[in-house]
Every structure is written in C-alpha cells, then in structure tokens.
Amino acid sequence: MSAWQPLPADLPPEVGHFVEQLRLLKDRTGLSLVALGERTAYSKSSWHRYLNATQPPPRQAVVALCRVAGADAERFCVRWELAVRAWPRTVAPAAVPAVAPAGVTGGTGAGLSAGANRAADEGGYEDVPTVPWWDLLAEEPEPESLPARHSWAASHRLLLYALVLVLVLLLTAVIGAVTLA
C-alpha cells in the first residue's frame, strides 16, 4: 500500500470519502501511477491530481480505474456523482474573449459545447469525456434499421471490391499469357 498525501482538511466529506475509495481501488491494482496511466487514457500527472483531490476525475477515468481493478463501475460512478456535486469550485480564471484570434481554439464559444459553456458560466463542473479509442469501438452503437438492400450492400462492399480485384488480376493474367504465347 502506498503512502498517500493527507487530504485537505476543508474537503467536503463526500469528496474525501470518494477520493479515499479511489485510492484504495488504485492500491488494490498494485500498479504505480505510471503503469495505471499506461493502462488507461489518463496520464500519471492526471491520476496524481485525481487521487490527491486537487481536481475531480472525469467519469470515464473512474470507469477505466474500475475496469483495471475489476471493480463495480456503477457503484463508483454513483459515488463520483455525489463527490462532483460537493467538489469545491475553484476560482474561475479571467474572462476569455468570445472571439479568439485566427487559428486559436478555446475561449468561451470557440471549442466548448453549450452545456460546457453554461457549466463554466455557473461555476459548475462539466464532465468532458476522454476515453481511449478502444473503448469507443467496444461501445459502438448499433446502426439504425436500414432497408435490407442497403445494409447488405454496405456489409458486403469489401467483398465486392475483392471480387472485382480478383477478376481484374485474372483478366491481366490471361491477356499476358496470350501475348507471351
């Protein structure tokens, strides 16, 4: 078990309990922060911030830790919701102009969703998902019902391309054999 820095004394009890549970879960994995970062989409420094209560973790980080530790993600996500509601709000940085210079993204309107802008304006926490690409493949939604003809064509397009390529190669071989004979 690793030696953790003491949590701030003015931390709400919900946040303290949640971070302690995350620490126990991380310790249960037996991984270092570097190894945990390699197995999730979050860096060592991000995990350090999350596990020392300096920044609330995104929900997906909690799910990723649960997946690595083999724990029930639903239970921890409920704790995450309670902790995020009680998480101390930091002082917002100076207002950024709504129109950013050309080529620069960010600011209040350039790259954030309406929900993120509203949450930032209200001083709230907006969970912006960061998930590894392999999780996005696993959670790919089922395609909506399409006509059978269209779905057959879409699913067999690669097979059709391969068949056309084989026919072209066969035709080329026949023409080459006739020409050389």
Side-chain angles (χ1 to χ4, degrees):
M1 187 168 261
S2 49
W4 293 102
Q5 296 175 359
L7 293 174
D10 60 342
L11 209 57
E14 297 89 352
V15 175
H17 178 71
F18 174 70
V19 172
E20 288 294 333
Q21 292 300 312
L22 277 185
R23 287 176 170 186
L24 290 173
L25 191 59
K26 185 262 175 208
D27 287 341
R28 195 169 85 186
T29 66
L31 298 173
S32 67
L33 291 179
V34 173
L36 184 61
E38 290 172 355
R39 292 195 182 188
T40 63
Y42 303 91
S43 67
K44 170 192 168 223
S45 59
S46 293
W47 281 115
H48 185 266
R49 288 189 305 271
Y50 305 153
L51 295 170
N52 285 309
T54 56
Q55 178 182 349
R59 177 188 295 266
Q60 287 76 15
V62 175
V63 171
L65 178 59
C66 290
R67 183 174 24 93
V68 169
D72 180 23
E74 269 189 54
R75 194 176 92 213
F76 276 91
C77 285
V78 169
R79 291 179 183 166
W80 174 85
E81 289 176 11
L82 293 172
V84 166
R85 286 184 192 144
W87 209 284
R89 308 293 188 238
T90 57
V91 176
V96 178
V99 178
V104 177
T105 58
T108 49
L112 297 176
S113 67
N117 277 334
R118 188 171 40 260
D121 291 343
E122 296 170 359
Y125 173 74
E126 176 68 20
D127 182 34
V128 180
T130 304
V131 292
W133 61 270
W134 55 86
D135 282 353
L136 292 176
L137 292 177
E139 298 173 2
E140 192 171 299
E142 291 295 320
E144 296 175 14
S145 63
L146 298 172
R149 183 176 159 201
H150 183 272
S151 64
W152 182 89
S155 64
H156 292 87
R157 186 174 296 143
L158 183 59
L159 182 61
L160 182 63
Y161 290 149
L163 183 61
V164 169
L165 180 62
V166 167
L167 288 176
V168 168
L169 289 174
L170 186 61
L171 182 62
T172 305
V174 169
I175 290 173
V178 169
T179 304
L180 295 175

